[in-house]
Amino acid sequence: MPDRRLTILGLGLLAACAFFLFWGLKGPAGFILELRATKLAALLLVGAAVGISTVVFQTVTGNRILTPSIMGFDSLFLLVQSLMVLTMGGLGYVMTDGPAKFLLDTGLMMAASLMLFTLLMGRGRGDLHRMILAGVIIGLFFRSMTAFVLRLIDPSEFSVVQQVMFASFGAVDTTQLAIAAVLFLAVFAAIWKLAPALDIVALGRDSAVGLGLRYDRLAMVLLLLVSALVAVSTALVGPISFLGLLVAALAHEVVKTPRHVLLLPAAALIAGLVLVIGQGVFERLLGLQSTLAVIIEFFGGLLFLYLVMGGRRR
Amino acid sequence: MITVRNLSHRIGSAEILHDLSLDFPKDGITAIIGPNGAGKSTLMGLMARLVPIQTGKVEIDGHCVAKTRTEALARRMAIVTQRVGVASRLRVGDLVGFGRWPHHHGRPRDEDHAAVERALAAFDLTELRDRFLDELSGGQNQRAFIAMGLAQETDWLLLDEPLNNLDMYHARALMARIHALSREGGRSVVMVVHDINYAAAWADHIVALENGRLAFEGAPREVLTAERLSRLFGMEIGVEEIGGRPTVLHHA
Amino acid sequence: MSRPLLLTCLALAGLVLASVSIGAASVSPWHLLSDPEGTKLLFLSRLPRTAAAMLSGASMAVAGVIMQLLVRNRFVEPSTTGTVEAAMLGLLAVTMLAPGVPILGKMGISAAAALLGMAGFLALIRRLPPEEPLMVPLVGIIYSGIIGAGTTFVAYQADLLQYLGTWMNGEFSGVLAGRYELLWLAGLVAGLAYLYADRFTIAGLGETASIGLGLNYAQTLWIGLVTVSVVTAMVVVTVGAVPFVGLVVPNIVARIMGDNLRASLPVMAGMGAGLVLASDVLGRILRFPYEIPAGTIFGAVGAAVFLWLLLGPKRRAR
């Protein structure tokens, strides 16, 4: 890629990956390396999915504060999961593991998020703060609904869902990873093809229609792709609310152009960097386990406050 | 009498009032006029102890505003400010009822109820008494708050732009009401007015501010001249006498 | 007695009856009184549990409305303004640093932390433009999230996550005589707030109107904030936070009978007590013989009501 900033980001990410893989490696390395490689792949995949989905989402909704997870998309995913356990029972849920379940998840997720989105856009359009607040409350609502549904589930089946409830890069299943990767690549290819159109979408609905774009249909398609990406990342590691916000803000800061051909890869690379370095530092240097999500929550929250309090409002 | 002595006020580096000294005579209506940013609302806020006094002194019937207890001041003067909107959901009757709070602090007596009734009736609010404030129009809201100030039944009534949001009918009704109060009820009223003609028609005394200083003061007939007003507002203003009152024409 | 208050009392009485007669041990209402075992159950577990649910519901509703009047925003309550999270952080700190402190001391430190948390929130929203009332709850929720994330991090490092779990989720199944009496104190504090009902209502009109009426605004503000933080801390310490009670109840009651606290505060307290008790009873029935925490049920219902208030037909922010 010719762009200098992307090259630097890419090199940085490579270095971070190397650090993550080889730091403190000793003794029979083969097994540990394999474990680390799986985790690294998961981090990169989740980073790319979160980064890209957030940038696209913000472009379509025309704001820089709202992200899919702040609006409760990933809580929605968890709700869908626990509802599935409730209706099919823990055994049925486990039985449908594999590609079929992944596709079912994603399909349900896309349908549900579409409903969520039309509700919010229909009622809240033109009032950004009402929309953001409603999104945040919807997130809270899904979370408490999930907690409620979990309590309805038989305690013996509880552990089945529990593992998807909390963001953790600890244990990632390789088959799941492979399926997620395939799905991600398919979605990414679709978004990449639409990247030039995204530049026009970013101008807002009126200008986009004026320039001859079939805006409403395109926005729908983009949002469907976004929810697929959210499904991918949440299925893999669980919810990380503020990562997307953090990454999208950084990507806009680094690239400083509204061109999505640059923005999208930048967001993916930055997200990868944040996750790999963060997880690496936490695991290798500090010896802490899987608290990265909490830290991201903390700093992402601060950034959100800064953005909302008028640092840079749009 | 309200006496203002050497009153200065700054907000940041901006000087809002500059060494202002003047008297507000007891009885009758005093109207404060002046262009935007002259310091009218600040003066009002300082007199009503809404804003702490920085330098200078304000006395109300001999009581220093800075030193008198706020509860005691609330029995001496009522202030109604410009409204930004109220978050709480109160009935009109309750709101006006709170005007008596300085007198009973939670244990209303018959005379308090009677005062509320009078205030409600004075502003045509008796029928609206059970309506919630957030279900009223801006003008009705404004009247409810003025009625609350009235129910306080204090010697002094301070009104900051009371005519905002009021249509011509209610603006005149309000002025007539205030005028009657100052005549029969022995109240003294100080109000900030934007429309000079209302000041000319109803006020007994005019105080004109300009850039935080006193521009002129006196009886309307004497001070509301074309020359003075033109200088005050920086534009050509004509004054005609209609019906024995000076009438200001902005299209002179 | 006003009609809403009468209805609330009647509903409460019914709920109390249901609450004492429903539980894991199936004892008929008759046996509760005649049989010595039954009486023991009644006084050791059922009655305390019922009282705990009612006290926490009532006091949280009161805390919520006081907060709404002082902040002058309809969409705030202790759990959306960092107060609950700060109380937990204080509690966590004292549990880690001085585990030997008696419960009242813990409560005090937790209340102080809650007060600090609220002060931080007030400092934040002072910088918000007044014409954007929806920013206030938004900033509050994120602010809560930040404090919550910090608390989780500390708890995780200190291996105290289960504690956090119990404080976060209001549950009454563990309530026994001798373990919940602090809540009576919370109820008492909330009850004392009634003496200040007029002052809080006036404070809700804003600072200038309050001063105009000769109210000591700063004093009223502080009394209100202390009330809210003490109530929040006590509820969090004894049974765990019940989210949204302070938001949902005052909003519903204010729609019907307005914000004159002198009239509405008893109804709000009664309704808060009733709704939390109802959630608790429901939690006992829904998944019998397992139990669903009342906080979980109320969280789901409360969030839905919040959404309805926000997007519902009467779209008024104030």
Side-chain angles (χ1 to χ4, degrees):
Chain A
M1 202 140 308
D3 188 84
R4 202 164 50 87
R5 288 157 300 192
L6 286 188
T7 321
I8 295 173
L9 281 177
L11 289 176
L13 185 56
L14 274 182
C17 290
F19 156 79
F20 186 84
L21 280 177
F22 301 116
W23 180 275
L25 203 62
K26 47 182 176 288
F31 174 67
I32 299 180
L33 209 56
E34 199 185 308
L35 246 163
R36 286 188 182 180
T38 316
K39 202 183 266 186
L40 180 68
L43 288 174
L44 291 176
L45 190 58
V46 167
V50 169
I52 289 172
S53 62
T54 307
V55 168
V56 173
F57 183 81
Q58 293 192 341
T59 298
V60 176
T61 53
N63 82 93
R64 293 273 182 87
I65 300 175
L66 214 53
T67 73
S69 31
I70 291 177
M71 266 189 50
F73 273 42
D74 48 10
S75 330
L76 179 63
F77 177 83
L78 298 180
L79 182 59
V80 169
Q81 294 301 304
S82 36
L83 280 174
M84 274 163 75
V85 177
L86 184 68
T87 48
M88 308 194 300
L91 198 62
Y93 180 81
V94 176
M95 291 288 278
T96 48
D97 216 352
K101 173 172 174 300
F102 220 100
L103 288 179
L104 184 64
D105 275 358
T106 319
L108 276 177
M109 181 69 196
M110 285 161 84
S113 49
L114 212 59
M115 269 160 50
L116 170 60
F117 192 76
T118 30
L119 168 83
L120 218 52
M121 287 296 155
R123 286 296 182 92
R125 191 189 279 282
D127 185 346
L128 187 60
H129 288 124
R130 187 180 298 274
M131 199 171 84
I132 298 177
L133 183 62
V136 171
I137 310 290
I138 286 177
L140 277 179
F141 173 66
F142 286 146
R143 236 161 288 156
S144 29
M145 271 309 284
T146 314
F148 176 68
V149 171
L150 284 180
R151 290 291 181 154
L152 289 178
I153 294 171
D154 204 292
S156 59
E157 294 174 349
F158 183 70
S159 60
V160 179
V161 228
Q162 202 183 17
Q163 63 194 35
V164 291
M165 292 299 299
F166 300 101
S168 151
F169 298 98
V172 178
D173 182 52
T174 36
T175 10
Q176 247 194 345
L177 190 63
I179 305 166
V182 172
L183 197 60
F184 168 75
L185 285 177
V187 174
F188 180 68
I191 290 181
W192 190 247
K193 251 186 69 188
L194 292 172
L198 269 170
D199 295 348
I200 297 174
V201 171
L203 300 175
R205 186 175 185 279
D206 295 351
S207 315
V209 172
L211 290 172
L213 214 61
R214 296 174 64 184
Y215 182 88
D216 293 327
R217 210 187 65 129
L218 186 63
M220 241 4 132
V221 170
L222 285 169
L223 287 171
L224 281 176
L225 293 173
V226 165
S227 32
L229 286 180
V230 174
V232 167
S233 80
T234 317
L236 268 184
V237 297
I240 340 173
S241 305
F242 285 118
L243 177 67
L245 180 78
L246 211 62
V247 167
L250 283 174
H252 280 285
E253 201 56 45
V254 169
V255 177
K256 286 202 171 72
T257 111
R259 290 182 54 210
H260 285 77
V261 195
L262 295 178
L263 265 178
L264 294 175
L269 290 174
I270 291 173
L273 263 176
V274 170
L275 285 179
V276 173
I277 292 182
Q279 187 74 9
V281 167
F282 265 79
E283 265 183 35
R284 307 281 184 280
L285 297 184
L286 302 177
L288 303 171
Q289 281 296 324
S290 63
T291 40
L292 181 62
V294 177
I295 296 294
I296 291 176
E297 207 80 341
F298 186 78
F299 287 108
L302 284 179
L303 173 72
F304 187 82
L305 261 193
Y306 168 74
L307 288 176
V308 170
M309 300 280 294
R312 192 176 19 162
R313 222 179 301 152
R314 244 188 61 157
Chain B
M1 188 160 72
I2 298 182
T3 53
V4 173
R5 288 293 171 268
N6 307 106
L7 198 62
S8 295
H9 195 81
R10 344 180 111 255
I11 296 175
S13 59
E15 186 161 56
I16 310 293
L17 292 180
H18 181 82
D19 197 24
L20 192 66
S21 296
L22 65 135
D23 294 334
F24 292 89
K26 199 159 175 63
D27 296 331
I29 299 175
T30 303
I32 307 178
I33 62 169
N36 289 335
K40 306 183 295 291
S41 289
T42 306
L43 175 61
M44 200 71 139
L46 289 168
M47 295 196 314
R49 51 83 173 85
L50 300 179
V51 184
I53 292 172
Q54 293 170 347
T55 46
K57 191 171 182 184
V58 176
E59 277 185 2
I60 174 163
D61 294 336
H63 299 267
C64 176
V65 164
K67 289 181 192 139
T68 312
R69 288 174 62 86
T70 179
E71 299 95 305
L73 283 175
R75 291 190 287 271
R76 218 163 264 290
M77 73 176 155
I79 165 94
V80 180
T81 53
Q82 304 173 50
R83 212 120 295 286
V84 220
V86 179
S88 53
R89 214 166 126 79
L90 280 180
R91 289 198 165 84
V92 173
D94 290 338
L95 180 80
V96 178
F98 279 120
R100 296 305 296 171
W101 196 79
H103 300 276
H104 62 65
H105 281 256
R107 275 174 290 277
R109 294 149 300 174
D110 288 344
E111 59 192 87
D112 296 311
H113 293 302
V116 171
E117 293 308 319
R118 281 196 295 276
L120 284 171
F123 288 99
D124 292 336
L125 291 168
T126 312
E127 277 168 28
L128 296 176
R129 64 182 308 155
D130 286 326
R131 293 269 292 277
F132 288 110
L133 284 179
D134 56 359
E135 292 164 357
L136 299 182
S137 71
Q140 291 170 325
N141 234 301
Q142 179 89 353
R143 273 154 56 205
F145 273 93
I146 297 173
M148 177 175 91
L150 190 66
Q152 240 169 297
E153 296 197 340
T154 48
D155 290 346
W156 289 88
L157 184 57
L158 275 54
L159 304 170
D160 193 356
E161 295 195 28
L163 301 177
N164 276 3
N165 291 325
L166 295 189
D167 60 30
M168 207 193 276
Y169 172 82
H170 282 107
R172 198 191 71 160
L174 173 68
M175 291 310 298
R177 191 71 234 162
I178 291 173
H179 192 253
L181 278 172
S182 71
R183 290 295 176 277
E184 300 139 27
R187 313 272 189 98
S188 315
V189 180
V190 180
M191 58 197 299
V192 173
V193 186
H194 261 300
D195 191 327
I196 311 286
N197 279 328
Y198 278 98
W202 299 99
D204 303 297
H205 191 75
I206 300 281
V207 168
L209 294 186
E210 185 182 15
N211 290 327
R213 291 174 169 84
L214 184 66
F216 53 82
E217 64 171 324
R221 297 197 61 141
E222 289 152 28
V223 298
L224 292 183
T225 61
E227 182 204 356
R228 280 183 153 156
L229 286 175
S230 300
R231 186 141 31 93
L232 183 63
F233 288 96
M235 60 187 266
E236 198 73 12
I237 292 175
V239 176
E240 302 277 332
E241 185 131 338
I242 299 177
R245 287 278 188 183
T247 303
V248 177
L249 306 170
H250 54 80
H251 45 76
Chain C
M1 199 186 262
S2 72
R3 220 167 62 108
L5 188 58
L6 197 69
L7 287 176
T8 319
C9 288
L10 283 177
L12 258 182
L15 280 166
V16 169
L17 270 183
S19 171
V20 292
S21 47
I22 295 171
S26 40
V27 184
S28 73
W30 175 244
H31 273 98
L32 280 175
L33 292 173
S34 57
D35 182 46
E37 280 299 308
T39 332
K40 208 171 136 196
L41 180 73
L42 182 68
F43 282 102
L44 212 63
S45 157
R46 296 276 170 84
L47 276 181
R49 180 172 187 166
T50 306
M54 288 172 61
L55 285 169
S56 32
S59 50
M60 285 311 278
V62 170
V65 73
I66 291 177
M67 207 154 181
Q68 286 167 21
L69 287 177
L70 294 182
V71 176
R72 304 184 68 201
N73 189 298
R74 271 266 154 250
F75 292 129
V76 298
E77 70 129 25
S79 77
T80 61
T81 51
T83 314
V84 168
E85 281 74 13
M88 283 194 238
L89 187 60
L91 205 51
L92 187 68
V94 71
T95 309
M96 282 167 60
L97 302 176
V101 174
I103 186 82
L104 261 179
K106 283 188 178 157
M107 203 283 311
I109 290 171
S110 169
L115 194 60
L116 260 176
M118 226 177 338
F121 171 71
L122 291 180
L124 265 183
I125 60 164
R126 188 156 299 156
R127 301 179 45 201
L128 292 175
E131 67 275 13
E132 298 272 17
L134 290 178
M135 296 269 285
V136 173
L138 184 59
V139 166
I141 290 173
I142 304 305
Y143 175 71
S144 311
I146 295 174
I147 301 180
T151 314
T152 312
F153 180 76
V154 176
Y156 193 96
Q157 294 307 324
D159 219 1
L160 289 172
L161 267 185
Q162 317 104 281
Y163 278 94
L164 218 56
T166 57
W167 297 332
M168 224 152 18
N169 214 337
E171 183 162 25
F172 301 97
S173 61
V175 171
L176 290 174
R179 279 213 227 146
Y180 81 104
E181 277 70 8
L182 213 51
L183 282 176
W184 285 103
L185 208 57
L188 183 72
V189 171
L192 284 179
Y194 189 64
L195 297 178
Y196 254 65
D198 281 347
R199 287 177 174 82
F200 290 137
T201 313
I202 293 175
L205 296 175
E207 191 171 353
T208 47
S210 310
I211 297 177
L213 290 175
L215 180 77
N216 190 334
Y217 185 75
Q219 188 202 28
T220 308
L221 187 68
W222 277 107
I223 288 179
L225 293 184
V226 168
T227 307
V228 173
S229 49
V230 166
V231 163
T232 307
M234 282 194 274
V235 170
V236 168
V237 170
T238 39
V239 291
V242 187
F244 295 128
V245 179
L247 190 127
V248 167
V249 173
N251 267 294
I252 294 175
V253 175
R255 273 184 189 226
I256 301 164
M257 53 189 305
D259 261 332
N260 192 352
L261 284 197
R262 183 171 278 233
S264 63
L265 203 65
V267 179
M268 287 181 185
M271 192 168 179
L275 286 181
V276 172
L277 187 59
S279 313
D280 187 42
V281 172
L282 208 62
R284 281 180 253 171
I285 302 171
L286 275 180
R287 194 81 187 92
F288 193 82
Y290 302 115
E291 292 202 1
I292 303 173
T296 309
I297 294 185
F298 209 97
V301 177
V305 175
F306 194 166
L307 267 181
W308 172 72
L309 290 171
L310 195 64
L311 300 174
K314 192 186 157 207
R315 294 183 45 190
R316 269 237 166 84
R318 293 168 190 280

